Amino acid sequence: MGEIADPVQLKDEGNKHFQAGEIDKAIECYTKAIKFSKDKKALAVIYRNRSACFLKKENYNNAVSDATKAIDVDAADIKALYRRCQALEKLGKLDMAFKDVQRCATLEPKNKTFLETLRRLGAEIQQKLKTTFSTDSRVQNMFDILFADESDKEKQEKAANNLIVLAREDAGAERIFQNNGVPLLVQLIDTGKPDMILAAIRTLSGMCTGHRARVRNSLKKILKVCGQVPDLPDQLPLTENTQLIASVLLNKVYDDLRCDPERDNFRDICDEYIKSKFDPNDMDKNIHAINTLSGLLQGPFDVGNVLAGRQGVMEMMVALCGSEREVDQLVAVEALIHASTKTSKASFFISNGVTLLKDMYKKTKNEKIKIRALVGLCKLGSAGGDDYSMRQFAEGSTEKLAKQCRKWLCNPTLDVRTRKWAVEGLAYLTNDADVKDDFIDDEAAMRAMFELTKSKDKTILYAVACTLVNCTNSYDKKEIIPEMVQLAKFSKQHVPEQHPKDKKDFIVRRVKKILKAGVTSALTVMVKADNYVLTDQTKEMLARVFLALADDIKDRGTIVAQGGGKALIPLALEGTDNGKIKASHALAKIAAVSNPEIAFPGERIYEVVRPLVSLLNTERDGLENFEALLGLTNLAALNDKLRVKILKEKALPEIENYMFEEHDQIRQAATECMCNLVCCKEVQDRYLEDGNDKLKLLILLCGEDDVQLQRAAAGALAMLTAAQKKLAVKITKVTEQWLEIIQRLCIHDNPEIQHRGLVTVFNMLDADEQLAKKLIECELLEILTFVAKLEDNPKKQDAINAARACLSRALDGGLIKPFSN
């Protein structure tokens, strides 16, 4: 074979290699395509694609060169601009990179990636600037300019930028602190002016970076927030979520530390802070220390767990549990609960805390303390998960504890915080299938839990999500292989057992009851919570629940009616990889059977495309592929803008691949999707390209026995030949069976397929005189005549009219003579 000289084919080959991660082969194809391409616009696209390859290869000079050649043809080529920006940044040319991304942000002002890059590069450029004036006077002068009502905008921008640069230097940041800078920065944020807010936040960010003493002080302030006990006097003003946010912040800070010495320093600061609060003569300081420990146990657990084992901590727990003050007991029991969160790591607390919790649960008459002690016991008792053979409590005890939790949950006289702990208990107890069934049968308890999700205290969301995942059995289950079970029994290893009520029919019943109780409305409220509360792990659990709810096609209308379609979109776009897959699959289930314009109203409908396309790869299972294709088919049927969006998400090659799939239903779904996409010029062009079997495959699919597959393939063929006359002629060149297959379509029992076949014949008659003559000279004329002579029939009228149109076209071309009835 000779060397391929078709630049379009070479470009497509390059694209395939790039998508497969074969970068060197992609570069080779693009280089050959450049050699043979004469069209400027096509050449620009190839240069842009090769630039992406050079970026992957970290060959940044060549990446810049190729991107520049693409930009020379089209100055608004946003992909080329951003690729050049990325390469320039790697080469250290920040000012040039900044100009490119600035242009990108002008072209697409809502693109988060461009805006983030713009902010980051701006900050890096400013960081390089050198200060030339005295620090003290500059700080005051800059704040004076920023707060001056009549100061011109240019001066204010310059002052703001100088302040940001100053904050990134140790000496400058120290002077900002000393000159009352933090309150002044807060005032800047309170002005409500976007430029001032951004400058203040960037300045604060600079002040918090790279200064050990400031980090120590900041960390102590966060620990102080964690240790606040609202029931005591002289505490800091807090919202319901403040302490959870502080714990999340501690966890984020700890996770971002780069090495063991930094983590050791973090732990030492926390240790020093907690020790400084222990005072045998001041119980308020002691409960502040224990509450701080609770905050660490909810954040960087490993740090909290180490500190919990320090000498004197357990003794203090015992003292607080035995105190007569309610607040002391509450703080102690909550610390015990948080310590027992990770049973595999909290061995110290588990061995010492169980007795304390049991005593408190049995002896106290205070409902607030009793419920918290119960939750601690629930956590410790759920160590076996849903393994029926590893129940931690005696038969019936778990149900009794859960019944008490439901009672507290439904008690409106208890405060929200106390009722929240009842949900925490259920989150652990619902590992037991008996508890799941009892809870689902208690509609009042379910509705009470859903109502709590609407309260201001959003710390409850994780526990609600856990409970719903347990009740719907939407957690991952390990496949039990019978041979492995026998082997485990033989070697006297533990074999997990399924609870009888965790079988399919029980799960389906529970899902129906949860839906009836209004779970979808509760989930839509939960999804809207701020990200610091709605963690990626919580999002994944909500996605799992949605997928379980959408399993039965009959329930999907209820989910849509209660806003579930819209709520799924953010879960499919943000979170863990597993969570996004689950949410995308739930979206696919809904999009496959619902009117997308109702399920995803307004502009949200365009956000559904990417999640569905993400399911079109070999790593996903057949059901996910199938339902994603059905959903895309429905979307593609609506309008050109959606069809273009599907193509932009690079779904076309995947859809084409699934048309070759051996699985009948997947192949049919892919063909139906293609049928709705062929009205796009880009798709038609792919069928016009030489050197591929796309048109041949479509014709062969028209000859399959599967009626639905034939219907879809015939529809695609009819639309393609109507849009492109060249394709009508090309049909005769791709397979020798073309005429036999077309004739079979024209005499098909299904009127819809017959109509599509006859429309294709009309398009072929209209496309080329020689082809028209060939068609009329064969048996097709007899078929057309027979169908055209049929009496009018509403069921077959489209086919009859198409046959008559074919004969009229042949008559006009002088290929046949008029006939009489």
Side-chain angles (χ1 to χ4, degrees):
M1 283 181 66
E3 185 180 281
I4 297 172
D6 182 355
V8 176
Q9 191 176 343
L10 284 164
K11 185 196 75 174
D12 286 347
E13 286 294 320
N15 292 348
K16 287 177 183 176
H17 287 309
F18 183 86
Q19 288 168 5
E22 299 165 343
I23 307 303
D24 288 331
K25 289 182 180 178
I27 291 174
E28 186 180 341
C29 288
Y30 292 141
T31 304
K32 287 180 182 176
I34 289 167
K35 177 182 172 184
F36 295 112
S37 183
K38 305 296 182 188
D39 182 83
K40 274 190 175 183
K41 288 186 178 178
L43 200 56
V45 172
I46 299 167
Y47 274 122
R48 185 179 71 198
N49 290 359
R50 194 171 71 169
S51 175
C53 293
F54 285 133
L55 266 177
K56 289 274 188 186
K57 296 287 289 182
E58 298 182 359
N59 188 338
Y60 301 121
N61 284 315
N62 282 354
V64 170
S65 175
D66 275 5
T68 301
K69 287 172 185 173
I71 294 163
D72 287 343
V73 176
D74 180 7
D77 188 334
I78 203 160
K79 288 184 179 178
L81 281 164
Y82 190 64
R83 282 169 191 166
R84 188 169 73 175
C85 160
Q86 291 174 298
L88 287 167
E89 182 185 356
K90 293 293 185 182
L91 292 169
K93 299 176 181 179
L94 299 185
D95 53 338
M96 295 170 70
F98 183 86
K99 286 179 183 177
D100 278 348
V101 78
Q102 200 169 36
R103 175 72 175 141
C104 291
T106 304
L107 293 168
E108 285 189 21
K110 292 184 179 179
N111 188 303
K112 291 180 181 178
T113 302
F114 297 157
L115 294 175
E116 177 56 37
T117 306
L118 192 64
R119 283 193 289 269
R120 179 171 52 75
L121 286 178
E124 287 176 16
I125 290 167
Q126 290 158 12
Q127 193 174 7
K128 287 186 170 185
L129 298 174
K130 301 296 181 181
T131 54
T132 54
F133 304 104
S134 163
T135 306
D136 279 90
S137 59
R138 285 181 68 212
V139 171
Q140 193 55 53
N141 186 40
M142 281 181 265
F143 277 118
D144 288 343
I145 293 170
L146 290 170
F147 282 112
D149 292 332
E150 298 178 3
S151 184
D152 67 64
K153 192 172 181 181
E154 191 175 336
K155 272 189 176 181
Q156 284 189 324
E157 284 180 3
K158 191 173 181 181
N161 288 335
N162 287 341
L163 198 63
I164 294 164
V165 173
L166 196 64
R168 296 185 181 279
E169 303 170 359
D170 283 352
E174 205 59 51
R175 296 320 301 165
I176 293 173
F177 269 114
Q178 296 298 327
N179 284 317
N180 199 35
V182 175
L184 289 172
L185 289 168
V186 172
Q187 284 182 40
L188 275 182
I189 293 171
D190 289 341
T191 62
K193 297 176 182 176
D195 291 346
M196 296 297 103
I197 294 170
L198 189 58
I201 291 171
R202 283 180 171 171
T203 304
L204 285 167
S205 174
M207 293 165 68
C208 292
T209 305
H211 194 282
R212 199 178 185 93
R214 288 202 306 277
V215 169
R216 177 179 287 270
N217 290 334
S218 299
L219 183 51
K220 285 184 176 180
K221 287 177 181 178
I222 301 169
L223 292 169
K224 183 178 180 180
V225 172
C226 284
Q228 297 299 294
V229 182
D231 296 332
L232 294 180
D234 302 322
Q235 300 293 294
L236 296 173
L238 307 174
T239 69
E240 292 88 346
N241 303 316
T242 303
Q243 286 172 298
L244 176 64
I245 296 167
S247 293
V248 171
L249 179 57
L250 286 170
N251 194 53
K252 176 66 176 168
V253 171
Y254 187 71
D255 282 348
D256 286 346
L257 297 177
R258 298 176 185 176
C259 58
D260 288 341
E262 287 184 355
R263 294 189 187 94
D264 291 342
N265 182 52
F266 181 99
R267 188 170 55 248
D268 290 343
I269 293 170
C270 296
D271 194 13
E272 176 191 312
Y273 182 84
I274 290 174
K275 279 180 182 175
S276 71
K277 297 299 174 185
F278 281 140
D279 185 342
N281 300 316
D282 189 340
M283 195 59 83
D284 286 358
K285 288 182 74 176
N286 291 329
I287 63 171
H288 179 88
I290 297 301
N291 217 32
T292 304
L293 183 62
S294 278
L296 286 165
L297 289 164
Q298 291 175 82
F301 182 86
D302 291 342
V303 175
N305 195 35
V306 168
L307 301 185
R310 293 279 196 261
Q311 186 176 357
V313 174
M314 198 65 209
E315 290 80 357
M316 183 54 64
M317 290 281 192
V318 174
L320 290 173
C321 289
S323 170
E324 292 183 0
R325 284 201 312 177
E326 177 187 288
V327 66
D328 297 342
Q329 295 178 52
L330 286 174
V331 168
V333 74
E334 286 187 18
L336 286 168
I337 291 168
H338 297 311
S340 59
T341 297
K342 297 184 181 179
T343 52
S344 60
K345 294 185 177 181
S347 55
F348 178 84
F349 257 76
I350 291 167
S351 58
N352 293 276
V354 174
T355 307
L356 281 175
L357 289 170
K358 284 183 177 177
D359 286 347
M360 293 182 82
Y361 182 72
K362 290 176 183 176
K363 295 175 182 177
T364 186
K365 293 181 180 179
N366 186 315
E367 296 274 85
K368 292 181 180 179
I369 295 165
K370 200 176 188 73
I371 194 170
R372 285 161 172 79
L374 180 142
V375 171
L377 291 170
C378 292
K379 285 192 174 187
L380 298 174
S382 64
D386 69 339
D387 184 352
Y388 185 49
S389 65
M390 289 185 69
R391 298 180 111 192
Q392 301 296 304
F393 296 123
E395 190 76 33
S397 297
T398 308
E399 292 95 302
K400 287 178 183 176
L401 291 173
K403 184 177 180 181
Q404 184 60 59
C405 281
R406 300 202 311 272
K407 181 181 174 184
W408 280 321
L409 180 57
C410 294
N411 186 349
T413 62
L414 292 173
D415 61 279
V416 170
R417 194 175 173 196
T418 302
R419 292 167 70 202
K420 179 192 82 171
W421 284 107
V423 182
E424 289 270 359
L426 288 168
Y428 288 91
L429 291 170
T430 47
N431 276 303
D432 185 297
D434 287 317
V435 173
K436 297 177 195 181
D437 256 32
D438 290 345
F439 179 55
I440 295 307
D441 287 336
D442 189 343
E443 189 170 324
M446 275 198 292
R447 289 186 182 278
M449 182 177 77
F450 297 155
E451 198 61 33
L452 279 180
T453 63
K454 301 172 186 176
S455 68
K456 290 181 181 179
D457 185 356
K458 296 301 180 185
T459 59
I460 195 174
L461 300 187
Y462 184 81
V464 173
C466 281
T467 305
L468 291 173
V469 164
N470 288 340
C471 290
T472 56
N473 284 53
S474 49
Y475 41 76
D476 286 331
K477 293 289 292 180
K478 289 183 180 178
E479 185 182 357
I480 297 176
I481 302 169
E483 291 81 2
M484 295 303 292
V485 171
Q486 293 302 319
L487 185 62
K489 286 180 178 177
F490 180 76
S491 58
K492 297 183 178 179
Q493 297 293 316
H494 170 70
V495 179
E497 291 180 23
Q498 184 186 44
H499 193 292
K501 291 184 179 178
D502 273 332
K503 291 181 180 175
K504 181 71 176 176
D505 52 341
F506 283 92
I507 297 169
V508 170
R509 188 184 80 89
R510 290 199 291 267
V511 167
K512 300 287 183 187
K513 289 211 164 191
I514 290 173
L515 273 167
K516 185 183 175 185
V519 68
T520 309
S521 298
L523 290 171
T524 57
V525 171
M526 293 167 75
V527 169
K528 293 174 185 174
D530 292 330
N531 274 343
Y532 59 77
V533 176
L534 193 68
T535 61
D536 285 352
Q537 191 177 359
T538 307
K539 288 177 187 174
E540 180 180 327
M541 287 194 289
L542 296 181
R544 287 175 178 277
V545 174
F546 264 122
L547 183 57
L549 297 176
D551 189 56
D552 188 338
I553 193 171
K554 296 174 187 174
D555 295 327
R556 295 173 198 172
T558 303
I559 295 169
V560 169
Q562 295 178 4
K566 288 185 291 184
L568 270 166
I569 294 172
L571 296 178
L573 296 173
E574 296 177 359
T576 65
D577 289 341
N578 206 13
K580 288 189 286 187
I581 290 165
K582 301 288 183 189
S584 297
H585 192 190
L587 276 175
K589 285 180 178 290
I590 290 170
V593 298
S594 309
N595 180 341
E597 292 175 307
I598 295 173
F600 320 108
E603 293 297 306
R604 303 306 297 270
I605 195 169
Y606 299 99
E607 296 180 57
V608 178
V609 175
R610 182 171 297 172
L612 298 193
V613 173
S614 72
L615 298 176
L616 300 184
N617 66 68
T618 52
E619 291 181 7
R620 307 272 59 83
D621 65 38
L623 183 61
E624 290 169 336
N625 299 154
F626 174 66
E627 291 182 319
L629 286 165
L630 291 183
L632 288 169
T633 302
N634 272 351
L635 292 172
L638 293 177
N639 58 54
D640 279 333
K641 192 175 175 183
L642 272 166
R643 288 189 280 271
V644 169
K645 175 69 174 171
I646 291 169
L647 298 180
K648 278 187 176 179
E649 293 295 339
K650 300 179 181 176
L652 193 56
E654 301 297 340
I655 295 167
E656 288 171 345
N657 288 339
Y658 285 115
M659 289 173 70
F660 288 93
E661 175 68 47
E662 290 182 7
H663 192 288
D664 290 343
Q665 286 181 298
I666 293 177
R667 185 172 49 167
Q668 175 198 320
T671 308
E672 286 178 348
C673 191
M674 184 60 72
C675 181
N676 288 346
L677 289 172
V678 291
C679 50
C680 288
K681 180 71 166 55
E682 185 180 330
V683 180
Q684 295 164 16
D685 289 344
R686 287 175 73 92
Y687 277 89
L688 281 167
E689 290 171 4
D690 292 328
N692 67 62
D693 291 330
K694 293 179 176 59
L695 189 60
K696 180 180 179 181
L697 172 65
L698 205 56
I699 295 167
L700 294 176
L701 291 177
C702 288
E704 291 284 333
D705 293 331
D706 186 305
V707 173
Q708 293 301 321
L709 181 60
Q710 272 188 302
R711 176 181 168 277
L717 195 62
M719 285 193 282
L720 280 170
T721 51
Q724 297 286 345
K725 290 188 177 183
K726 289 182 181 178
L727 285 172
V729 177
K730 190 177 178 181
I731 285 176
T732 64
K733 300 174 183 177
V734 293
T735 174
E736 293 178 357
Q737 301 172 51
W738 69 271
L739 185 56
E740 179 189 343
I741 291 170
I742 295 292
Q743 287 175 340
R744 283 178 60 192
L745 291 179
C746 293
I747 58 173
H748 205 285
D749 293 339
N750 184 302
E752 200 170 358
I753 294 173
Q754 185 182 32
H755 171 239
R756 295 177 182 202
L758 290 164
V759 169
T760 302
V761 171
F762 177 85
N763 295 336
M764 294 173 78
L765 289 168
D766 196 47
D768 182 83
E769 197 172 316
Q770 290 301 316
L771 175 58
K773 189 176 179 183
K774 186 174 183 179
L775 289 171
I776 293 301
E777 288 175 352
C778 70
E779 294 175 358
L780 200 55
L781 177 60
E782 191 177 337
I783 295 170
L784 293 173
T785 305
F786 174 78
V787 177
K789 283 184 176 182
L790 292 173
E791 291 185 8
D792 288 354
N793 181 339
K795 291 182 180 179
K796 293 188 174 184
Q797 198 59 47
D798 287 339
I800 294 169
N801 290 343
R804 290 171 183 173
C806 288
L807 292 176
S808 294
R809 181 70 190 81
L811 190 63
D812 292 343
L815 300 172
I816 59 171
K817 294 179 180 179
F819 63 88
S820 58
N821 289 328

